[in-house]
Amino acid sequence: MKKSTGILIIILSGLSILGVVITQFIWIDNAINLKKEQFVDQVQVTLKTVVNNLYTIQNTYENVNMFNPSCNHILDDAKHIVQYPVLDSILASELASIRVKKNYYYAVYREEQNHRSLSGGHIGVYGDELLSSSYRVSLSCLYNHRETYYLSIYFPNQGHIIFKQMINGILISAIFVLIIGFSFIYIIYVSFRQKRISLIKNDFVNNMTHEFKTPIATVSLTAEMLLRDEILTDIPKARRYAKVIYDENQRLKHQVEQVLQIAVIDKGELKIRKKDVDAHKVINDLINKLEITVSNRGGAIKTYFAANYPKIWADKMHFVNVISNLLDNANKYTPDTPVVIIRTRNNKKGLIISVEDNGIGIKSEDQKDIFKQFHRVHTGNLHDVKGFGLGLYYVTLITEAHGGNIKLTSEWGKGSIFEVFFPFNIEVK
């Protein structure tokens, strides 16, 4: 798929999802407005029902003293006395039918010549609001007075009440919108990640082809030279050419083994055979092999062994490969005179080995990816650094498989320090 086509599909998909989200918001807004209208109608019906119930009660029990005479009555009428507890009970019952159980206030007030005065009720601090409330109903059917009496209700948190009644629908809508949005973002993330992995793997295949091609070409050319009669009769030259073939073969073998080890680890078939390993001895052996290469470049390898207990519980082959990778990187990524410093120290649980170099360092934006598979640091003008981008990935997997860890401290242009931790077999006494 072309890049422009992919971007167009992403834009169209994003606009479609944005359209769905906007549509949902419009639907929710319309639903809230409709719910408000329904709520107004329901409250008005509720108030009329309350008055009808009061009317039924007063006509049914006209001559019965069914109310507590110590309670404050709504209106003082010679024939009919309606107590506030009764009104409160009827009102609570009717409001509960429309899912309103609290957060409301009510009052009975008298209106005369544009003047309103409260008579009683559950008023709280909302006297003015109750006098001006649009939720009211006339009590004229109950009382025959020249003044006009009204029953009104006020909801301080009306928006909250409506929202609470709609919360289930809003939540379901929001959940589906979030699922769609998350799925879209995740698909984009996976697509870009797969593309990046594809590019990295292509780069890896190109590097691997080049790395294999070089020793194969060298072996082929050297073998061709060995077939010449004048070379066969010159024993020193023949030995030198044979040594070249041997070294290149070892290099090729090491590269193949590195790729195969990563394949084994990725399959979950890594086998760790642990035993006591003297880390100082392993490090010294590796230094002896690398020192010639470093010395030829005018550099040096320095050691500061401060660990009193250098033995760790590890697979010797993998431990050797870990330290070898770190030393090899310290040499490779130092374009000038290399100075490699190796330090060891103990903590309560094991041995810490640090490998420090004066190389090109690692940029901060690369440090988070340096231990990932196939990742290679951009080295600027340093084009002669070979590798598959598997070394530090392998080091990370092996140290973690041993119950250890690896840390990096680096600054671009000022070198790097890699610290690896390997645990003891037993606690140091």
Side-chain angles (χ1 to χ4, degrees):
M1 182 187 296
K2 293 182 179 179
K3 184 178 180 180
S4 58
T5 304
I7 293 175
L8 179 61
I9 291 175
I10 290 173
I11 292 174
L12 291 176
S13 300
L15 290 174
S16 299
I17 292 176
L18 181 62
V20 172
V21 172
I22 293 173
T23 302
Q24 287 295 312
F25 275 114
I26 293 174
W27 175 86
I28 291 173
D29 183 63
N30 290 336
I32 290 174
N33 291 331
L34 179 61
K35 192 67 178 178
K36 288 179 179 178
E37 295 176 3
Q38 291 177 346
F39 183 78
V40 170
D41 293 338
Q42 287 175 338
V43 172
Q44 293 294 355
V45 171
T46 298
L47 288 175
K48 291 179 181 179
T49 303
V50 170
V51 173
N52 289 336
N53 288 339
L54 289 172
Y55 181 79
T56 302
I57 290 174
Q58 82 168 14
N59 283 288
T60 303
Y61 301 99
E62 181 175 354
N63 298 317
V64 179
N65 187 13
M66 62 172 290
F67 306 113
N68 186 349
S70 64
C71 296
N72 294 325
H73 53 75
I74 295 177
L75 297 172
D76 191 359
D77 186 275
K79 296 183 179 179
H80 308 294
I81 298 177
V82 178
Q83 309 292 341
Y84 280 116
V86 176
L87 174 59
D88 186 81
S89 175
I90 295 173
L91 191 59
S93 175
E94 293 300 326
L95 287 175
S97 66
I98 60 172
R99 297 165 61 187
V100 178
K101 297 183 180 179
K102 55 183 179 179
N103 295 327
Y104 66 88
Y105 294 83
Y106 70 89
V108 173
Y109 66 85
R110 182 173 61 184
E111 184 174 20
E112 183 180 11
Q113 297 179 352
N114 297 324
H115 174 72
R116 296 177 181 180
S117 60
L118 294 168
S119 297
H122 178 46
I123 299 170
V125 296
Y126 299 103
D128 293 339
E129 288 82 356
L130 285 164
L131 289 174
S132 60
S133 175
S134 60
Y135 300 122
R136 68 174 190 167
V137 64
S138 174
L139 297 177
S140 59
C141 64
L142 297 175
Y143 303 100
N144 185 17
H145 287 271
R146 287 177 296 175
E147 300 90 350
T148 304
Y149 289 87
Y150 288 93
L151 170 63
S152 68
I153 299 181
Y154 175 69
F155 302 93
N157 300 313
Q158 180 175 318
H160 176 72
I161 294 172
I162 295 173
F163 180 79
K164 188 176 180 181
Q165 294 179 354
M166 297 183 63
I167 186 66
N168 291 336
I170 293 174
L171 281 178
I172 292 173
S173 178
I175 288 171
F176 281 118
V177 169
L178 288 175
I179 290 174
I180 293 172
F182 175 78
S183 301
F184 176 68
I185 294 172
Y186 182 73
I187 289 172
I188 293 176
Y189 167 76
V190 170
S191 299
F192 278 103
R193 184 171 178 270
Q194 290 297 330
K195 184 177 181 180
R196 180 172 173 273
I197 291 174
S198 177
L199 293 174
I200 292 174
K201 286 190 174 182
N202 288 338
D203 185 49
F204 166 73
V205 171
N206 292 334
N207 288 332
M208 184 174 66
T209 302
H210 177 74
E211 290 288 302
F212 286 167
K213 189 175 180 180
T214 300
I216 290 172
T218 303
V219 169
S220 177
L221 181 60
T222 308
E224 184 180 344
M225 294 296 293
L226 276 175
L227 291 176
R228 296 182 179 181
D229 293 337
E230 63 270 22
I231 299 298
L232 291 174
T233 56
D234 190 339
I235 300 300
K237 278 189 177 182
R239 285 181 179 275
R240 189 165 67 250
Y241 285 126
K243 180 68 165 56
V244 171
I245 293 175
Y246 176 80
D247 289 343
E248 290 299 312
N249 183 66
Q250 289 298 109
R251 177 185 168 189
L252 189 61
K253 179 182 177 183
H254 174 74
Q255 291 170 340
V256 172
E257 284 181 351
Q258 188 179 30
V259 176
L260 291 177
Q261 282 175 347
I262 295 298
V264 169
I265 293 172
D266 285 343
K267 288 181 180 180
E269 299 175 357
L270 175 65
K271 294 181 180 179
I272 302 293
R273 298 177 176 86
K274 296 181 181 180
K275 62 179 181 179
D276 280 328
V277 177
D278 189 330
H280 285 175
K281 184 178 183 305
V282 170
I283 293 171
N284 283 324
D285 290 342
L286 291 172
I287 288 174
N288 291 334
K289 295 178 182 178
L290 183 63
E291 200 165 22
I292 297 175
T293 303
V294 174
S295 298
N296 288 338
R297 299 179 60 197
I301 301 177
K302 301 178 182 180
T303 57
Y304 298 92
F305 291 162
N308 296 320
Y309 193 84
K311 287 189 176 182
I312 58 174
W313 188 238
D315 186 308
K316 185 175 181 179
M317 180 194 74
H318 289 296
F319 177 71
V320 169
N321 290 339
V322 166
I323 304 302
S324 179
N325 268 293
L326 295 178
L327 292 175
D328 188 47
N329 283 345
N331 178 49
K332 283 195 308 183
Y333 290 98
T334 305
D336 300 320
T337 303
V339 176
V340 182
I341 302 174
I342 305 171
R343 294 184 172 89
T344 65
R345 70 180 190 276
N346 289 128
N347 62 17
K348 293 182 179 180
K349 296 183 178 180
L351 178 69
I352 298 173
I353 304 166
S354 70
V355 178
E356 180 180 351
D357 63 65
N358 61 330
I360 60 174
I362 302 171
K363 295 179 180 179
S364 57
E365 59 265 25
D366 284 324
Q367 292 183 18
K368 65 181 184 301
D369 298 320
I370 193 67
F371 300 107
K372 293 181 180 180
Q373 192 175 19
F374 304 128
H375 185 84
R376 300 186 71 210
V377 175
H378 298 290
T379 56
N381 294 325
L382 192 62
H383 298 296
D384 58 340
V385 177
K386 306 291 191 287
F388 299 146
L390 297 174
L392 290 177
Y393 175 67
Y394 170 80
V395 169
T396 303
L397 292 177
I398 294 301
T399 52
E400 290 178 352
H402 282 78
N405 56 66
I406 181 170
K407 295 180 181 178
L408 167 65
T409 303
S410 182
E411 186 176 349
W412 179 246
K414 296 185 179 181
S416 304
I417 301 175
F418 287 91
E419 282 190 354
V420 289
F421 166 74
F422 282 88
F424 294 133
N425 182 15
I426 55 175
E427 292 288 336
V428 179
K429 302 295 184 182

